[in-house]
């Protein structure tokens, strides 16, 4: 559903991944009273259906009692509108009790694995893989759908074939993102994946996906192909998200997205004050996000991909420059590489040429296998 509210029960996390930005296990945990205020705030903010994603930190640190109370509060408090849930968790704290609660609400789970155990634990810490897979078994035993996200770093990208095969052999859906500079530590760039390498990785995965159609799902490639096919962004990275996405931190502060939670300069209001859209629009954070949107309109105006890219993620673009808008998402290079590749292959498959020559089509003779099947795939 287009309206998305991320609830961040805590910024704490029991893991200590090398490149992560938050691992403060003793951080405050959201109260049920704050959840009630979220309901009251949304009642007056807008009336359409909403997806709630519990994110963090590690949202399972909130415990079974939190979810036992919070989920019905959100569903019943915002009735009769449709409510959907999701959660992003490393699964370490998943218990049969929590899994049973999640099963009642059919909550899909996003988790994180960086590939085979040795590689994963090198980046995320010894024992991470085993703890996550233990939680995965509990989730699976309760009929919960789990999908893993892989963070590709400057190190792990060298093992992209091993990672792909790991997902293929285990029957897991592959979703990925590039490692960003960390907000902690003395060497924030150590694990960062360069934009050019990310672009090359996406093209590699496109090829591997086409070679293994029907055996694996690569969500990023599906969404990127759908962007080109529909002419609009299909995930938050490639849309103007302001006003349709919010995040609520443990204390009730409202932010543009979960990535900004804990950063005072990006607070737009607090749920206890029940701010209106007009109130939120007066915040510096809202204005800064809209300034980015205007910057994209100018800087990317002549780019053929602007309608379904929108300059990429604002967080990626403005946080490294301390909030100053000096450029678009630094992974623009990668986005152009994969969008150009998809566009070229579609044209070649459809018209037998890499150029979009609608008036003099040649004999249809695809040089690459089946990209139109990805364009037309239902996701």
């Amino acid at each position: 559903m287009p309206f998305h509210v991320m609830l961040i029960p805590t910024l704490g996390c029991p893991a200590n991944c090398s490149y992560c930005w938050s691992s403060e296990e003793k951080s405050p945990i959201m109260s049920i009273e704050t959840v009630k205020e979220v309901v009251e705030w949304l009642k007056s903010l807008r009336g359409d259906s909403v997806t709630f994603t519990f994110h963090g930190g590690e949202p399972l640190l909130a415990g079974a009692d939190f979810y036992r109370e919070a989920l019905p509060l959100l569903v019943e408090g915002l009735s009769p509108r449709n409510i959907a849930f999701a959660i992003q968790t490393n699964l370490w704290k998943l218990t049969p009790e929590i899994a049973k609660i999640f099963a009642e609400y059919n909550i899909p789970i996003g988790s994180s694995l960086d590939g085979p155990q040795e590689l994963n634990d090198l980046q995320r810490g010894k024992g991470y893989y085993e703890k996550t897979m233990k939680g995965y078994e509990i989730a699976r035993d309760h009929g919960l759908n789990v999908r893993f996200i892989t963070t590709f770093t400057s190190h792990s990208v060298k093992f992209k074939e091993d990672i792909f095969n790991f997902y293929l052999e285990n029957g897991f859906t592959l979703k990925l993102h590039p490692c960003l500079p960390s907000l902690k530590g003395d060497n924030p760039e150590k694990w960062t994946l360069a934009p050019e390498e990310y672009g090359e990785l996406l093209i590699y995965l496109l090829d591997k996906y086409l070679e293994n159609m029907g055996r694996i799902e690569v969500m990023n490639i599906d969404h990127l192909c759908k962007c080109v096919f529909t002419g609009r962004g299909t995930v938050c990275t490639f849309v103007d998200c302001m006003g349709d996405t919010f995040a609520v931190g443990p204390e009730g502060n409202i932010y543009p997205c979960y990535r900004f939670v804990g950063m005072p300069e990006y607070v737009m209001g607090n749920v206890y004050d029940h701010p209106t859209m007009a109130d939120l629009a007066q915040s510096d954070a809202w204005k800064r996000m809209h300034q980015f949107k205007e910057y994209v309109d100018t800087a990317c105006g002549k780019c053929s991909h602007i309608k379904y890219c929108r300059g990429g993620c604002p967080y990626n673009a403005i946080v490294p420059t301390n909030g100053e808008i000096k450029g678009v998402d630094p992974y623009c290079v990668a986005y152009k590489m994969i969008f150009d590749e998809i566009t070229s292959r579609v044209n070649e498959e459809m018209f037998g040429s890499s150029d979009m020559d609608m008036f003099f089509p040649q004999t249809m003779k695809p040089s690459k296998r089946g990209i139109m099947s990805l364009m037309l795939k239902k996701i």
Side-chain angles (χ1 to χ4, degrees):
M1 290 178 281
F3 186 33
H4 187 196
V5 177
M6 303 176 180
L7 299 180
I8 316 301
T10 179
L11 288 175
C13 182
N16 190 26
C17 301
S18 301
Y19 47 77
C20 190
W21 54 273
S22 176
S23 58
E24 305 166 11
E25 188 167 4
K26 295 183 180 179
S27 293
I29 292 178
M30 181 181 288
S31 68
I32 288 299
E33 187 59 37
T34 299
V35 177
K36 293 177 180 178
E37 293 299 328
V38 168
V39 171
E40 294 305 313
W41 168 55
L42 293 178
K43 281 181 180 179
S44 58
L45 186 72
R46 52 191 287 180
D48 46 348
S49 301
V50 56
T51 297
F52 290 101
T53 298
F54 294 96
H55 216 297
E58 175 45 62
L60 292 185
L61 288 174
D65 288 343
F66 174 83
Y67 291 101
R68 188 179 289 109
E69 292 188 65
L71 296 174
L73 275 172
L74 293 165
V75 171
E76 295 165 14
L78 294 171
S79 179
R81 68 179 91 181
N82 292 325
I83 303 296
F85 296 108
I87 188 167
Q88 181 66 33
T89 165
N90 63 25
L91 291 172
W92 292 14
K93 301 292 184 179
L94 186 68
T95 63
E97 182 182 12
I98 296 176
K100 185 177 180 181
I101 296 169
F102 288 176
E104 291 177 18
Y105 291 87
N106 194 30
I107 299 180
I109 296 175
S111 192
S112 300
L113 280 180
D114 288 353
Q117 184 170 0
E118 183 177 356
L119 177 60
N120 178 86
D121 286 6
L122 174 68
Q123 297 189 161
R124 290 185 171 269
K126 187 175 180 180
Y128 185 108
Y129 182 94
E130 185 178 346
K131 293 175 184 176
T132 294
M133 293 308 295
K134 182 179 179 181
Y136 170 73
E137 295 296 333
I138 294 173
R140 191 174 64 174
D141 289 346
H142 286 80
L144 296 170
N145 180 26
V146 180
R147 289 180 168 178
F148 294 104
I149 299 176
T150 286
T151 299
F152 275 87
T153 68
S154 57
H155 174 74
S156 67
V157 73
K158 301 179 180 70
F159 304 94
K160 58 182 181 289
E161 184 174 2
D162 294 331
I163 294 171
F164 181 86
N165 288 337
F166 168 80
Y167 274 84
L168 181 65
E169 291 163 6
N170 283 281
F172 295 151
T173 295
L174 175 58
K175 185 178 181 182
L176 64 137
H177 57 216
C179 180
L180 299 167
S182 175
L183 296 181
K184 68 178 186 180
D186 299 326
N187 189 8
E189 302 284 344
K190 177 181 178 181
W191 299 94
T192 304
L193 186 64
E196 294 82 3
E197 286 187 293
Y198 184 42
E200 292 167 0
L201 172 65
L202 291 171
I203 294 171
Y204 168 83
L205 290 174
L206 173 60
D207 283 332
K208 296 296 288 185
Y209 195 7
L210 291 172
E211 289 172 12
N212 293 276
M213 284 290 290
R215 299 179 61 204
I216 191 172
E217 181 179 3
V218 185
M219 290 181 68
N220 300 66
I221 301 302
D222 283 338
H223 286 123
L224 290 164
C225 287
K226 195 64 71 175
C227 283
V228 176
F229 182 69
T230 62
R232 61 183 178 84
T234 56
V235 290
C236 65
T237 302
F238 304 122
V239 297
D240 292 324
C241 53
M242 280 302 297
D244 288 326
T245 299
F246 296 103
V248 180
E251 66 299 298
N253 284 337
I254 303 165
Y255 301 84
C257 174
Y258 83 94
R259 287 182 164 182
F260 296 101
V261 174
M263 304 174 74
E265 62 271 34
Y266 291 98
V267 175
M268 298 189 295
N270 191 287
V271 295
Y272 284 85
D273 299 322
H274 305 165
T276 64
M277 282 288 192
D279 295 330
L280 297 173
Q282 294 303 309
S283 67
D284 290 340
W286 180 288
K287 293 174 182 177
R288 189 177 295 121
M289 297 289 282
H290 275 271
Q291 286 169 1
F292 176 75
K293 176 181 176 179
E294 293 166 1
Y295 178 88
V296 168
D297 287 336
T298 301
C300 305
K302 295 182 179 179
C303 178
S304 59
H305 307 303
I306 184 173
K307 288 184 179 179
Y308 49 82
C309 178
R310 297 303 305 155
C313 176
Y315 175 92
N316 293 355
I318 65 182
V319 168
T321 56
N322 295 317
E324 293 186 51
I325 300 171
K326 295 182 177 180
V328 297
D329 185 334
Y331 285 106
C332 170
V333 172
Y335 306 149
K336 281 185 177 179
M337 288 173 67
I338 187 62
F339 283 138
D340 283 348
E341 185 71 17
I342 291 170
T343 302
S344 175
R345 293 190 186 194
V346 170
N347 292 340
E348 199 163 352
E349 188 169 311
M350 291 294 293
F351 308 110
S353 170
S354 59
D355 298 320
M356 180 63 84
D357 191 343
M358 296 290 291
F359 300 101
F360 303 101
Q362 303 174 25
T363 302
M364 293 181 69
K365 185 181 179 182
S367 63
K368 299 288 184 180
R369 288 177 50 192
I371 196 167
M372 280 306 297
S373 63
L374 295 181
M375 307 284 273
L376 299 171
K377 182 181 176 183
K378 188 175 182 179
I379 58 175

